[in-house]
Amino acid sequence: MFVKRFSMAVLACLMLSACGGVDPNSPLGQRKAIFKQMLKTNEELGGMLRGRIPFDGPRFAEGAVQLDQLSREPWKHFPQVREEDHTSARDEVWQKQARFQELARSLEAATGELVTASKVQPYRASNLGPAVQKVEDACSACHKEFRDY
């Protein structure tokens, strides 16, 4: 009897914990994964420039290319209409599509400029810092208009 009750309790807990997750194959799951990769890559680049981690020029350049590639991906995972799932995206993403797309293209341009800056050798923070800041500013601008925290 105890084993049966215990098994039922464990099963109920597992079922409830599964309800809170995001389907990784859903548009929301896809874009969240991309945004997390972008954040991780950007934090590594910024960490190199700010002295939190050792600077490695070739690794920085690779990260710039990766960030540029990632910056072009999340937009295709925003469906035409708002999902019913709770997201960090405000309704304005769907109401002001032209502005949202404008800011997406601004981020893509900034990451492209970062790739260009990361090709200049010798690597100098004075060349790379402004390009990283431009990427961070582009992210911030979109978050201010279109993301709930």
Side-chain angles (χ1 to χ4, degrees), residues 99-118:
R99 176 68 176 149
F100 182 67
Q101 293 300 322
E102 176 186 334
L103 291 174
R105 301 298 83 78
S106 177
L107 174 63
E108 292 170 357
T111 59
E113 290 175 25
L114 177 60
V115 169
T116 301
S118 71

Side-chain angles (χ1 to χ4, degrees), residues 18-37:
C19 293
V22 174
D23 177 4
N25 296 317
S26 70
L28 174 60
Q30 294 280 322
R31 67 180 187 257
K32 277 186 156 209
I34 294 166
F35 284 136
K36 283 181 183 178
Q37 289 177 313

Side-chain angles (χ1 to χ4, degrees), residues 35-134:
F35 284 136
K36 283 181 183 178
Q37 289 177 313
M38 289 172 67
L39 178 62
K40 181 180 181 226
T41 303
N42 191 56
E43 285 178 345
E44 182 177 356
L45 299 178
M48 283 189 211
L49 291 180
R50 293 174 182 103
R52 287 191 305 267
I53 57 177
F55 184 83
D56 178 337
R59 190 167 144 204
F60 186 96
E62 288 173 15
V65 169
Q66 180 183 13
L67 188 60
D68 185 49
Q69 291 169 343
L70 288 168
S71 76
R72 297 164 198 293
E73 295 299 314
W75 324 118
K76 63 186 173 188
H77 299 289
F78 280 90
Q80 293 299 311
V81 294
R82 183 177 175 89
E83 306 102 328
E84 293 192 22
D85 293 331
H86 174 71
T87 76
S88 296
R90 292 183 184 164
D91 289 337
E92 286 84 350
V93 167
W94 292 273
Q95 296 166 354
K96 299 178 181 177
Q97 261 302 298
R99 176 68 176 149
F100 182 67
Q101 293 300 322
E102 176 186 334
L103 291 174
R105 301 298 83 78
S106 177
L107 174 63
E108 292 170 357
T111 59
E113 290 175 25
L114 177 60
V115 169
T116 301
S118 71
K119 291 180 181 178
V120 176
Q121 294 190 22
Y123 298 108
R124 289 197 172 94
S126 60
N127 292 344
L128 300 170
V132 168
Q133 187 62 53
K134 192 169 184 177

